[in-house]
């Protein structure tokens, strides 16, 4: 067997920055970007990005399969998006009120979203999911909200996955169901009785560390019917899947339209923007709630959002990311077979997840990802990844050279199957 180990990456600057951060930032880094959750060797700090490549602070370059955990839909530094943002920056960003981009983007956004009659803008995905729940409660005057066990909807007290610093009362009106399980959804709705405000569903099941699941049509239809019966709102969390699964909204794939959708991540290609879209019946409630933020109407992100929409529509980015994701998935499947290593690849090809069989502690996954990283490919061992418009067939094929070596190392360390 050829030698597959390659030298460790330079990490001097990264190590220094981590030490400095640890002194002035609690834990050095918070949340999903904390590299402590990744295998040894992963950098914490990055210097720059271009297209589908990122460079860490020590100058190591990677083909990027995380796309900033979703936001970079068109690739880092997309020229049209950056030019639109720069034009707006020269005029003004944070002013005494929104710029005309606010209205222009709202019109485009509503026109693109199949279910929507209106939109409210925010900054982060958590803002959007939280505003969605507020609109539903304002409209219905009811309290109970159904959410899937382990589904991620953000980091506010009602939804953060780590319950430190919150109270039981913050979640007093949440009732849990199992994604794609009609019986459990019905039981949760029954438990809500006549107090049901909303059912929150992820666009697909993308919980960390477990196989992904596309929405089952019968599950989506039942969620719709339960909301209709109770006069509750069906809220679709598009924050992760939006613009990659279907242009008009992810549940167009199953023929079910939500009342409210929460968007962020990819909608302005890395500029900070979130949105809630809704139907006319909820317009009055959306008018009555009070939500705002100093930066929510900033013109630069909205200009970036407009340019992102234009590029997304003129290039059919959904088809592209799917095609690149499928090429990657096919290559991975062939390599896994040839190395005699069992893997599961689930969910939409544009948001790939690779999990190894017999790997409850993600030991195989960690060796695989760390070896790919050393060979210049930035994967995630247990979270879904993201493709962008900037990924070409050549990039995918280059990445597959690295994963082939990574599979060889997994087979060597753990044996076949
Ligand atoms: N919902 C989903 C499905 C997400 O994936 C995320 C972010 N990973 C959020 C909500 C929260 O978004 P943000 O981190 O921008 O607040």
């Amino acid at each position: 067997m050829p030698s597959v180990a390659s030298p460790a990456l330079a990490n001097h600057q990264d190590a220094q920055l981590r030490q400095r951060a640890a002194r002035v930032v609690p834990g050095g880094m918070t949340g999903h970007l904390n590299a402590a959750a990744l295998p040894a060797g992963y950098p914490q700090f990055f210097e720059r990005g271009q297209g589908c490549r990122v460079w860490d602070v020590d100058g190591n370059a990677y083909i990027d399969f995380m796309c900033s955990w979703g936001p970079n839909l068109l690739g880092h530094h997309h020229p049209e998006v950056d030019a639109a943002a720069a034009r707006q920056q020269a005029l003004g960003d944070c002013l005494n009120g929104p710029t005309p981009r606010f209205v222009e983007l709202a019109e485009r956004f509503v026109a693109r979203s199949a279910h929507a009659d209106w939109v409210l803008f925010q900054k982060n995905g958590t803002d959007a999911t939280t505003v969605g729940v507020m609109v539903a409660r304002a409209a219905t005057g009811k309290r109970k909200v159904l959410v899937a066990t382990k589904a991620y909807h953000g980091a506010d007290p009602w939804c953060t996955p780590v319950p430190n610093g919150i109270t039981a009362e913050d979640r007093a009106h949440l009732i849990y169901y199992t994604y794609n399980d009609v019986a459990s959804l019905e039981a949760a709705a029954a438990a809500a009785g006549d107090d049901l405000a909303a059912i929150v569903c992820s666009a697909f099941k993308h919980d960390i560390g477990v196989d992904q699941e596309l929405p089952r049509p019968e599950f989506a239809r039942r969620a719709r019917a339960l909301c209709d019966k109770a006069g509750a709102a069906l809220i679709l969390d598009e924050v992760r899947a939006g613009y990659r699964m279907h242009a008009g909204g992810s549940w167009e794939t199953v023929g079910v339209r939500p009342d409210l959708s929460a968007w962020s991540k990819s909608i302005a290609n890395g500029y900070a923007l979130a949105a809630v879209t809704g139907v006319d019946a909820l317009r009055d409630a959306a008018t009555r709630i009070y939500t705002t933020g100093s930066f929510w109407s900033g013109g630069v992100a909205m200009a970036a959002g407009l340019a992102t929409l234009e590029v997304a529509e003129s290039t059919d980015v959904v088809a592209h990311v799917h095609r690149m994701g499928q090429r990657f998935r096919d290559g991975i499947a062939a390599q896994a077979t040839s190395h005699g290593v069992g893997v599961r690849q689930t969910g939409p090809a544009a948001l790939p997840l690779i999990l190894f069989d017999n790997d409850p502690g993600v030991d195989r996954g960690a060796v695989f990802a760390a070896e790919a990283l050393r060979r210049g490919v930035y994967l995630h061992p247990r979270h879904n990844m993201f493709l962008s418009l900037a990924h070409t067939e050549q990039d995918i094929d280059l990445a597959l050279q690295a994963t082939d070596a990574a599979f060889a190392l997994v087979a060597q360390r753990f044996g076949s199957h």
Side-chain angles (χ1 to χ4, degrees):
M1 175 171 295
S3 169
V4 287
S6 52
L9 299 165
N11 68 358
H12 183 65
Q13 300 293 336
D14 195 72
Q16 282 201 340
L17 286 166
R18 283 189 202 221
Q19 276 176 13
R20 286 168 56 193
R23 285 195 284 271
V24 287
V25 177
M29 180 62 206
T30 57
H32 67 295
L33 300 181
N34 192 341
L38 289 164
Y42 270 76
Q44 176 67 79
F45 293 96
F46 289 84
E47 195 66 56
R48 67 190 178 98
Q50 183 65 50
C52 72
R53 281 182 176 62
V54 285
W55 285 260
D56 69 23
V57 286
D58 287 286
N60 304 299
Y62 310 97
I63 301 176
D64 180 13
F65 280 80
M66 284 309 282
C67 297
S68 320
W69 295 65
N72 268 289
L73 173 73
L74 310 175
H76 300 277
H77 279 310
H78 189 278
E80 280 168 69
V81 178
D82 278 6
R87 275 195 304 276
Q88 187 59 48
Q89 184 70 63
L91 293 170
D93 182 22
C94 185
L95 303 169
N96 289 348
T99 72
R101 307 294 89 70
F102 177 91
V103 181
E104 293 159 13
L105 181 62
E107 287 169 350
R108 286 290 294 269
F109 212 87
V110 166
R112 177 180 170 89
S113 174
H115 82 106
D117 299 308
W118 53 261
V119 60
L120 293 173
F121 293 113
Q122 308 84 26
K123 278 292 162 196
N124 281 93
T126 308
D127 304 331
T129 55
T130 302
V131 167
V133 169
M134 287 172 72
V135 172
R137 285 183 169 143
T140 58
K142 307 214 169 140
R143 297 177 298 174
K144 303 295 177 195
V145 174
L146 312 192
V147 290
T149 316
K150 298 243 163 43
Y152 189 75
H153 298 299
D156 269 358
W158 74 272
C159 56
T160 182
V162 178
N164 298 330
I166 69 159
T167 67
E169 287 79 2
D170 289 321
R171 290 159 192 218
H173 297 295
L174 300 187
I175 302 174
Y176 294 91
Y177 66 89
T178 304
Y179 197 87
N180 266 340
D181 181 334
V182 169
S184 86
L185 187 65
E186 285 171 344
D194 61 5
D195 201 14
L196 183 63
I199 300 178
V200 182
C201 296
S202 308
F204 66 98
K205 183 178 170 185
H206 43 47
D207 309 345
I208 190 162
V210 296
D211 293 331
Q212 305 194 115
E213 287 177 33
L214 293 171
R216 293 207 185 103
E218 64 273 21
F219 167 77
R221 282 197 294 269
R222 195 69 191 121
R224 180 67 273 169
L226 287 167
C227 284
D228 290 343
K229 187 161 157 248
L234 178 58
I235 304 177
L236 192 61
D237 183 347
E238 291 271 23
V239 171
R240 194 164 322 169
Y243 285 29
R244 280 189 175 84
M245 229 170 128
H246 189 287
S250 296
W251 276 19
E252 290 299 293
T253 57
V254 286
V256 172
R257 295 209 165 138
D259 301 301
L260 295 162
S261 290
W263 309 82
S264 186
K265 288 196 183 284
S266 61
I267 64 173
N269 202 50
Y271 290 82
L273 191 64
V276 173
T277 46
V279 294
D280 258 335
L282 299 177
R283 187 187 292 267
D284 174 60
T287 311
R288 288 187 286 109
I289 60 165
Y290 188 81
T291 62
T292 188
S294 298
F295 303 106
W296 284 14
S297 311
V300 169
M302 298 201 174
L306 273 164
T308 301
L309 264 178
E310 257 154 48
V311 177
E313 280 165 11
S314 65
T315 55
D316 196 355
V317 64
V318 174
H320 180 86
V321 293
H322 181 82
R323 215 170 43 248
M324 291 305 114
Q326 194 61 46
R327 189 176 181 92
F328 186 57
R329 182 166 284 187
D330 292 345
I332 291 286
Q335 291 174 351
T337 305
S338 85
H339 289 282
V341 175
V343 296
R344 305 182 307 280
Q345 302 191 77
T346 50
L351 296 109
L353 174 70
I354 306 169
L355 294 177
F356 286 73
D357 292 345
N358 310 314
D359 197 28
V362 200
D363 303 318
R364 288 166 168 79
V367 165
F368 178 76
E371 184 62 14
L373 185 90
R374 274 197 292 276
R375 294 172 178 273
V377 178
Y378 192 101
L379 303 175
H380 198 291
R382 55 196 202 102
H383 189 281
N384 76 265
M385 298 174 271
F386 299 86
L387 274 298
S388 79
L389 188 67
H391 288 86
T392 64
E393 292 181 359
Q394 290 73 23
D395 295 317
I396 300 299
D397 295 348
L398 261 179
L400 286 168
Q401 289 178 20
T403 56
D404 198 35
F407 270 121
L409 192 61
V410 170
Q412 194 185 54
R413 288 260 178 98
F414 298 93
S416 296
H417 289 291

